[in-house]
Amino acid sequence: MKKLAIVVILVISLAFLGCAGMSDTEQRTLSGAAIGAGAGTIVGAAAGSAGWGAAIGAAAGAGGGYLYDRNQKAKEAEFDRGYQEGQKSQ
């Protein structure tokens, strides 16, 4: 179990180090996948299959990270639209 935890921490650390040249969407999707894989590994290990837990967690986390990115971009676009309308009315 300790070896598995060390490997998960190492993989997550390396993933975050590689985020420098990525877009916001890529960073949020990868972050979600890494967090999901870590959580899935823990739950999967408790249930008897850490590999399947990590895979399912990574997929769910990547989907969640992507949806979060879409939500953030929609909020930013709405803010920008309101700001532009406010500038026109002055």
Side-chain angles (χ1 to χ4, degrees):
M1 183 68 177
K2 281 186 178 183
K3 287 182 182 180
L4 181 60
I6 291 171
V7 169
V8 169
I9 291 169
L10 181 63
V11 168
I12 291 171
S13 299
L14 291 174
F16 284 120
L17 289 174
C19 290
M22 293 182 170
S23 69
D24 287 341
T25 302
E26 292 168 335
Q27 287 180 3
R28 289 174 178 153
T29 303
L30 180 61
S31 296
I35 293 167
T41 300
I42 293 168
V43 172
S49 179
W52 278 108
I56 293 168
Y66 181 76
L67 292 175
Y68 175 75
D69 178 69
R70 296 287 107 201
N71 180 276
Q72 289 301 106
K73 287 188 176 179
K75 283 198 267 184
E76 290 170 9
E78 187 63 27
F79 175 82
D80 290 342
R81 188 182 64 77
Y83 182 81
Q84 294 298 326
E85 288 180 11
Q87 291 296 319
K88 289 179 186 176
S89 66
Q90 291 182 357

